[in-house]
């Protein structure tokens, strides 16, 4: 049976990868620094949990024992992201290569190398580590998750105000749909030609419309304030570089996700 190691498998995306892989009958090991309590939403029954740190490398080599495929769903939400994503990728791929792991799959972001946003630069460096490793590698570049888009438009939600950036659209994808793409890449018989696939959700929608939808779903009037998004980050989004309309892999719409997440 194929054994998958999900690095960051207690996180939002990682736990969905663990659940998807188990559903397909794979053997799943989850790597993180902290183990989830059994009652926690991060706990996926049937997965094996190991403690390791991809930065310090404590426990890392042991975690690779008997692993066929590594899926990297690591993240760090603070300034530590460079260490976790970039140094962590280097340590993770080195340990995997040393253990004879067959394939590595990295979760990344659509056209991440076309933005100068600091976090995107770190993700680009992380991709480069994977491309330069001796492992058979697939990079899965996903569009923004439904959760992220909802969070962005709701930063002033407590005041009943929902925000949108002028001229920006999203192609939000659900986390479970993204997890399907990652597990496809982990077990698929063929590698994509350039070692990379991009996946988006089923619809491209203006940010104003997404903001209205979130506002209404939270019982408000759906009042939306549209603001300019300046600079190179603004250009990245206004030029639609975050979109992959020809790669609408996800099936769960933003509206369906809103009903499920608020209902
Ligand atoms: N949000 C989006 O719209 C979007 C879109 C496309 C791609 N992505 C990508 O999806 C990936 C996953 O994001 P997420 O939001 O699911 O992450 P998350 O919920 O923050 O989870 C991060 C995971 O990494 C683990 N981790 C962090 N530091 C570690 C370390 N030093 N050693 C071992 N494990 C460590 C965490 O567990 P511990 O803290 O217990 O170690 C946790 O399991 C990111 O790379 C992101 O760029 C996100």
């Amino acid at each position: 049976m194929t054994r998958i190691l999900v690095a960051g498998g207690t996180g939002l995306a990682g736990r969905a990868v663990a659940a998807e892989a188990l559903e397909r009958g794979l053997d799943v090991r989850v790597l993180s620094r902290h183990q989830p309590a059994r009652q926690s939403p991060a706990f996926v029954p049937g997965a094996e949990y190991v403690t390791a740190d991809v930065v310090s490398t404590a426990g890392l080599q042991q975690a690779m024992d008997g692993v066929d495929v590594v899926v990297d769903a690591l993240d760090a939400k603070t300034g530590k992201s460079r260490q976790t994503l970039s140094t962590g990728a280097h340590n993770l791929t080195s340990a995997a290569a040393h253990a004879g792991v067959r394939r590595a799959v990295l979760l990344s972001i659509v056209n991440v190398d076309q933005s100068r946003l600091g976090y995107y630069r770190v993700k680009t460096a992380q991709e480069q580590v994977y491309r330069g490793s001796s492992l058979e590698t697939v990079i899965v570049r996903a569009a923004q998750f439904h959760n992220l888009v909802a969070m962005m438009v709701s930063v002033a939600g407590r005041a009943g105000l929902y925000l949108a950036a002028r001229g920006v659209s999203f192609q939000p994808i659900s986390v479970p749909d993204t997890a399907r793409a990652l597990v496809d890449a982990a077990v698929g018989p063929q590698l994509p030609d350039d070692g990379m696939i991009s996946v988006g959700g089923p619809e491209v929608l203006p940010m104003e419309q997404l903001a209205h939808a979130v506002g209404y779903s939270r019982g408000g009037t759906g009042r939306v304030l549209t603001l300019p998004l300046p600079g190179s980050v603004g250009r990245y989004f206004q030029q639609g570089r975050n979109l992959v309309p020809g790669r609408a892999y996800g099936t769960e719409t933003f509206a369906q996700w809103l009903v499920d997440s608020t209902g």
Side-chain angles (χ1 to χ4, degrees):
M1 190 194 293
T2 302
R3 175 177 284 166
I4 293 198
L5 177 72
V6 187
T10 57
L12 181 67
R15 71 184 79 148
V17 173
E20 175 69 24
L22 279 166
E23 212 171 285
R24 294 198 204 183
L26 305 173
D27 189 358
V28 176
R29 182 179 293 163
V30 165
L31 176 162
S32 60
R33 290 167 303 175
H34 314 94
Q35 300 212 357
R38 292 188 83 82
Q39 327 75 275
S40 150
F43 182 78
V44 178
E48 174 196 0
Y49 286 87
V50 295
T51 305
D53 187 328
V54 296
V55 177
S56 74
T57 73
L60 189 55
Q61 201 58 63
Q62 298 92 303
M64 293 292 165
D65 189 33
V67 169
D68 301 294
V69 182
V70 170
V71 177
D72 182 339
L74 291 162
D75 203 9
K77 304 284 188 240
T78 63
K80 286 190 176 160
S81 62
R82 181 170 293 277
Q83 267 196 320
T84 308
L85 300 184
S86 191
T87 309
H90 179 76
N91 293 338
L92 196 64
T93 53
S94 300
H98 187 70
V101 168
R102 183 164 45 83
R103 186 179 293 183
V105 177
L106 170 67
L107 174 54
S108 190
I109 304 169
V110 164
N111 289 327
V112 71
D113 53 340
Q114 294 183 30
S115 167
R116 291 199 213 137
L117 202 65
Y119 179 75
Y120 279 36
R121 288 185 188 201
V122 177
K123 289 291 293 181
T124 302
Q126 185 193 31
E127 285 192 350
Q128 280 161 358
V129 173
Y130 275 85
R131 286 185 201 287
S133 87
S134 60
L135 297 163
E136 185 178 280
T137 294
V138 186
I139 296 171
V140 176
R141 286 179 163 183
Q144 285 67 40
F145 298 158
H146 291 324
N147 318 52
L148 179 68
V149 173
M151 200 179 74
M152 286 191 288
V153 301
S154 313
V155 284
R158 276 168 177 254
L161 192 62
Y162 293 86
L163 304 181
R166 189 165 297 130
V168 171
S169 294
F170 285 96
Q171 190 180 348
I173 184 167
S174 77
V175 169
D177 281 339
T178 307
R180 275 195 302 115
L182 286 159
V183 179
D184 285 353
V187 297
Q190 267 191 316
L191 291 181
D193 283 344
D194 56 357
M196 192 172 74
I197 55 164
S198 294
V199 292
E203 304 167 310
V204 175
L205 297 169
M207 194 170 180
E208 282 99 342
Q209 194 176 326
L210 293 159
H212 275 298
V214 174
Y216 280 126
S217 78
R218 306 230 168 123
T221 60
R223 190 177 145 223
V224 174
L225 180 65
T226 305
L227 299 165
L229 188 60
S232 65
V233 173
R235 281 195 296 282
Y236 170 85
F237 284 102
Q238 281 142 12
Q239 291 169 356
R241 295 187 191 196
N242 58 320
L243 309 175
V244 276
R247 307 280 318 177
Y249 176 95
T251 56
E252 186 180 9
T253 63
F254 190 73
Q256 285 163 343
W257 174 81
L258 269 180
V259 169
D260 293 345
S261 63
T262 52

